[in-house]
Amino acid sequence: MLTLTGSKRLYTRDSSAKMISAVMPFGRVPLVAAGFTRSLMALVLAVLANGCRADDVSINVAGARADVPGQEAAIKTGSLAEAIEIVRKDGKQRTSPVTYNINLPAEAQILDQPLVISGLEQAAGSRVIITGAAGGTSISGAAFVEKYLKPTRTGNGRYEYALPLSDLPGDVAHKLLRKLASVSPRQLMIRANGKKVLRSTRWPNSGFLPVIEIADGPVNSAAIMSFADLPDGVRRSPDLWFGGYLTDSYLFVNARALAVNSRGVQTDRHRLRADGKPPERVFFYNVATFAQCNSFFYDAATRTLNFCSEDPIKTLEVPVLDTLLTVSGSRNLTVRDVVFELAIGTAVTVRESSTINFSNIILQLAGADGITYANSNDCRIDHASIRWVGGRGAWLSGGDRASLTPGRISIEDSSIQDFSLIYRTFSPAVQMDGVEMSVRRTVIFNGPQFGILYSGNDHVIEDNLMVQLLTEAGDSGFIYSARDFTSQGTIIRRNILLGTGGQYFNDARGIYLDEFSSGNLVTDNVIVGIPYGILMNGGKDNKLLSNLFVLSSPSIWSAALGYASWWQVWRNDHMQVPNGLSVRNLYSLPVAKEPWASRYPELAGYKGSDLLRPERNLIEGNKFVGAGSITASDGNIPTAEVRNNSAVVYRGSLQLLERMRNWIAPAQLDETLALVSSELDRHGLTERIPLRGPDRAGAQLPGDRPATLSEFR
């Protein structure tokens, strides 16, 4: 049986009797510490059946308010896990609909192991609602370890500490040692004093440095990266890691250094380019020195975490759990007013379930993804704030492509900010796979690469505000799809894409239909300050209609990628029948049968066509403000039909031009949108495509105190 504990005890234990006590509507009864006895569970179920209304059962986790009207008969439990177990067993016996309301206390719920909800199946029409306290209840995977800190140095506004893992309680030390043996130290999202998030030490403090040359290592499988200069602190770091774009501008790699010496840094040769070209962007982390404060490093030899803080550390939360919540084989569950935080891996996972919803939640400080759905259907995330995660904000995957059975998983009215902090590429704010996923009225802000990455069929991406993406990775798009002729039916409409100031932004694209992406409708979007506002690399049956481009040039670029001479080295990889990267779904899915034949009538004819030649693409009714340049032919090959597009000369303020060249802070977002809106008003274009963000995006929890995030790039 899973137990949640907090800074106060949620139960009392009699060490001799090995019992705990819980309060029920009929008085205080003993609960065996290892779990409920059969007789007690029968008694609890009897209360559920007879003591509460058939359509509403309330269960209060210890510490939850008991003075709420209608809660007088609420069942009291020692933990959320116990409450879920009561519901799971009772749900198997009920035949009429019932709503189970599980109420959490304001006190943080500190997990000693992940919460697992499995096989939660209720009668038709029944549901389970887990509700946090009014200010939001934290569910955390961290341990408070401040009492084990050993001060090592103080002065000049710096406070340094050592945390020997051997001093920690056995289970905490074991979990940390096991994880640190296999994962990057950057996955530890460590919080000091309830607000300051400490990062792994790194050099240089920001940005990257180039590799001068690649030399042979001591064995054939190793190589040595040489640099112009490495500080002594880097050379003396026994557990050095590095991150960088080792092969391509769109692919980031984290790796452990095999050795460091006077020649450079040794790594596996297979991580580097086969042609021997040195990487241009690399940085080092877990450096065994504090060049910057508000940071930490791990010394594997002494099994010690070392910290530097600008303020004395009064509380220190170190994540010890991989994940916080896993839901599987369940249905009809809603979680609201909860803060999920401080996990080493993915915070929340839902698989093989239906109608699992999250509303008005905050999900933060996860070393991998925020929330993932797999093989699930009819689920929704709404009014969520997802921030400070190492990987994807949300991964939505469900439905069946062979039958085009929809999954219908959505994220709506939410905000996703500061994502992909560790896995810098192919970890978008939202990834969508399967059939009928959607992202609506969501603000996506500040990420190194994609905002939305999708594959599959019939997705909807609409009314979102996407700002300051592609700040680091090249050859990428705010919205991106590629390598599948059958990935059709997606609608991308009424989104605002706003680009600002990334150092590598000249390689950016807005909506990027790459490598034969086909069957997309892209309409009524506003694309501001992004080179290659929309780019099509081959593909068929795409429609680009009535989009508005401001200071984005070239605005639309449509290429016959398959005929490019430089691309021919990849032709077999993509086009070899039946397993080429871009054609395998065309030859494995039943595209000539129903419902495919009716839904995508042109698709069955693709096999008999020249797949490399763009066909039936349409560019119509688009407007360009201070931009222009539609390229719709590639040499002698037409790539799209072009109709009724028009351009407007930019006569706006230099302030907007300057803003497009610089980094934007969250507080400047409304001002930036107002500058763009003013320019559209000047030309009478605001009514055509209103320029404003979602009315309310993200959670609204009175207890929310956003953390101070140290530089993670």
Side-chain angles (χ1 to χ4, degrees):
M1 179 73 68
L2 175 65
T3 302
L4 284 77
T5 60
S7 56
K8 297 180 181 178
R9 303 295 289 179
L10 300 187
Y11 55 80
T12 59
R13 183 184 299 273
D14 183 321
S15 59
S16 60
K18 305 296 184 186
M19 307 287 280
I20 60 177
S21 296
V23 179
M24 294 298 192
F26 42 80
R28 183 176 298 274
V29 296
L31 305 181
V32 177
F36 292 117
T37 64
R38 292 183 179 179
S39 59
L40 178 61
M41 180 56 74
L43 186 57
V44 170
L45 298 182
V47 172
L48 284 169
N50 301 313
C52 302
R53 299 196 312 272
D55 60 349
D56 194 0
V57 173
S58 292
I59 305 173
N60 285 353
V61 175
R65 287 186 59 187
D67 58 348
V68 178
Q71 297 290 312
E72 296 83 0
I75 296 168
K76 309 299 190 298
T77 67
S79 72
L80 175 55
E82 290 174 2
I84 289 292
E85 182 67 7
I86 290 172
V87 170
R88 190 180 67 81
K89 292 187 176 182
D90 181 65
K92 290 182 176 180
Q93 301 184 31
R94 286 189 182 264
T95 56
S96 58
V98 61
T99 296
Y100 300 95
N101 293 293
I102 300 176
N103 304 300
L104 300 178
E107 182 181 31
Q109 306 293 288
I110 311 300
L111 301 176
D112 57 14
Q113 57 183 304
L115 178 62
V116 176
I117 299 176
S118 178
L120 192 64
E121 297 275 351
Q122 296 85 45
S126 293
R127 58 180 181 160
V128 180
I129 301 174
I130 299 173
T131 304
T137 299
S138 168
I139 295 180
S140 169
F144 282 87
V145 298
E146 59 275 2
K147 69 180 181 180
Y148 303 101
L149 286 173
K150 300 182 183 301
T152 57
R153 183 182 302 175
T154 301
N156 299 321
R158 297 162 67 97
Y159 300 84
E160 297 183 16
Y161 304 85
L163 178 66
L165 300 190
S166 59
D167 290 353
L168 299 177
D171 59 333
V172 173
H174 174 74
K175 290 172 183 174
L176 275 173
L177 287 169
R178 178 175 55 85
K179 294 308 298 181
L180 285 168
S182 59
V183 306
S184 160
R186 283 165 60 85
Q187 282 193 223
L188 293 185
M189 300 286 192
I190 297 175
R191 184 166 63 188
N193 300 331
K195 190 172 183 180
K196 174 72 73 174
V197 180
L198 308 180
R199 65 159 179 159
S200 176
T201 52
R202 63 164 286 172
W203 186 84
N205 188 37
S206 62
F208 301 90
L209 62 154
V211 176
I212 301 302
E213 66 176 358
I214 303 295
D216 292 335
V219 293
N220 290 336
S221 61
I224 295 175
M225 299 185 294
S226 298
F227 298 85
D229 181 37
L230 287 180
D232 288 342
V234 174
R235 296 187 186 279
R236 293 197 306 265
S237 299
D239 303 298
L240 189 67
W241 285 69
F242 64 89
Y245 294 84
L246 304 187
T247 58
D248 296 282
S249 66
Y250 55 80
L251 185 61
F252 185 89
V253 174
N254 287 289
R256 194 191 301 265
L258 300 180
V260 185
N261 55 41
S262 59
R263 297 179 63 197
V265 178
Q266 182 179 317
T267 186
D268 293 328
R269 181 173 291 279
H270 76 272
R271 295 188 182 278
L272 304 173
R273 292 175 62 106
D275 61 9
K277 182 179 179 180
E280 297 180 357
R281 292 186 284 160
V282 175
F283 69 87
F284 298 98
Y285 62 95
N286 203 44
V287 178
T289 184
F290 293 117
Q292 64 282 146
C293 212
N294 298 322
S295 58
F296 73 92
F297 68 88
Y298 175 60
D299 186 333
T302 62
R303 297 185 174 184
T304 300
L305 284 166
N306 302 273
F307 299 92
C308 179
S309 175
E310 293 175 348
D311 301 296
I313 295 179
K314 297 178 181 178
T315 63
L316 187 68
E317 298 165 88
V318 178
V320 295
L321 297 185
D322 269 340
T323 188
L324 306 178
L325 171 64
T326 299
V327 181
S328 64
S330 298
R331 66 185 181 190
N332 299 335
L333 169 68
T334 296
V335 180
R336 63 191 184 196
D337 303 339
V338 167
V339 180
F340 293 98
E341 59 184 356
L342 293 161
I344 297 174
T346 296
V348 176
T349 299
V350 179
R351 57 176 179 263
E352 297 175 347
S353 297
S354 63
T355 53
I356 307 298
N357 305 319
F358 295 86
S359 181
N360 201 44
I361 67 162
I362 295 173
L363 200 157
Q364 62 187 10
L365 300 174
D369 297 339
I371 182 169
T372 67
Y373 285 89
N375 299 320
S376 297
N377 62 276
D378 297 294
C379 301
R380 185 179 69 189
I381 305 167
D382 71 87
H383 298 96
S385 294
I386 302 175
R387 59 200 185 196
W388 313 320
V389 294
R392 292 165 288 211
W395 185 7
L396 315 180
S397 182
D400 177 69
R401 293 197 66 197
S403 62
L404 291 180
T405 301
R408 289 187 295 263
I409 305 175
S410 67
I411 180 166
E412 303 174 358
D413 302 295
S414 295
S415 67
I416 304 175
Q417 177 178 337
D418 297 309
F419 57 93
S420 197
L421 293 176
I422 300 166
Y423 302 99
R424 308 292 288 168
T425 55
F426 293 92
S427 294
V430 182
Q431 180 171 336
M432 300 190 295
D433 307 320
V435 184
E436 282 193 33
M437 306 293 108
S438 60
V439 186
R440 293 184 169 98
R441 300 178 305 279
T442 290
V443 175
I444 296 175
F445 181 79
N446 198 30
Q449 198 188 36
F450 309 121
I452 297 175
L453 174 67
Y454 71 90
S455 64
N457 298 84
D458 302 336
H459 306 314
V460 177
I461 302 168
E462 64 182 5
D463 299 315
N464 303 293
L465 175 60
M466 305 173 69
V467 184
Q468 197 161 276
L469 307 177
L470 309 180
T471 59
E472 188 176 285
D475 193 20
S476 305
F478 279 50
I479 301 173
Y480 183 89
S481 186
R483 297 186 177 185
D484 189 355
F485 286 99
T486 70
S487 184
Q488 302 207 359
T490 289
I491 299 172
I492 303 171
R493 64 186 169 204
R494 298 191 306 271
N495 301 284
I496 301 170
L497 279 58
L498 183 62
T500 50
Q503 182 177 353
Y504 309 99
F505 205 72
N506 61 324
D507 202 19
R509 292 89 167 87
I511 299 171
Y512 195 176
L513 308 178
D514 197 12
E515 294 178 325
F516 315 107
S517 180
S518 299
N520 300 280
L521 172 61
V522 181
T523 182
D524 293 314
N525 300 282
V526 181
I527 301 175
V528 184
I530 303 173
Y532 297 94
I534 300 177
L535 194 154
M536 288 192 295
N537 261 338
K540 306 175 188 290
D541 298 301
N542 295 301
K543 292 179 171 55
L544 314 182
L545 310 177
S546 303
N547 300 287
L548 176 60
F549 301 82
V550 181
L551 302 176
S552 296
S553 186
S555 297
I556 299 176
W557 187 288
S558 180
L561 175 69
Y563 287 98
S565 58
W566 59 267
W567 186 81
Q568 300 310 305
V569 295
W570 291 287
R571 180 167 178 165
N572 283 342
D573 291 341
H574 280 261
M575 297 297 174
Q576 186 75 38
V577 175
N579 296 316
L581 295 174
S582 293
V583 300
R584 56 190 172 194
N585 286 331
L586 184 62
Y587 284 87
S588 62
L589 291 171
V591 298
K593 299 179 180 179
E594 295 295 342
W596 285 81
S598 298
R599 183 69 183 86
Y600 318 113
E602 301 285 357
L603 185 55
Y606 280 24
K607 294 179 184 178
S609 71
D610 179 355
L611 290 173
L612 300 181
R613 181 175 291 273
E615 294 181 298
R616 296 179 301 278
N617 295 315
L618 176 63
I619 301 173
E620 181 175 18
N622 301 281
K623 290 186 178 294
F624 314 102
V625 180
S629 177
I630 300 174
T631 300
S633 62
D634 197 341
N636 297 323
I637 302 172
T639 59
E641 181 181 357
V642 179
R643 299 196 303 234
N644 302 321
N645 302 282
S646 59
V648 176
V649 175
Y650 179 77
R651 293 190 174 91
S653 68
L654 294 178
Q655 187 179 5
L656 177 58
L657 287 169
E658 186 64 21
R659 178 59 54 83
M660 291 299 98
R661 297 188 182 101
N662 293 286
W663 201 262
I664 186 171
Q668 297 173 312
L669 187 52
D670 288 342
E671 176 193 351
T672 305
L673 287 173
L675 288 172
V676 180
S677 185
S678 176
E679 178 61 23
L680 297 184
D681 282 339
R682 193 189 314 276
H683 298 288
L685 295 172
T686 307
E687 291 183 1
R688 178 173 174 270
I689 303 180
L691 190 82
R692 62 182 178 87
D695 291 333
R696 179 197 155 190
Q700 292 185 344
L701 291 173
D704 181 22
R705 292 175 296 173
T708 301
L709 186 69
S710 298
E711 176 66 64
F712 264 84
R713 285 183 293 158

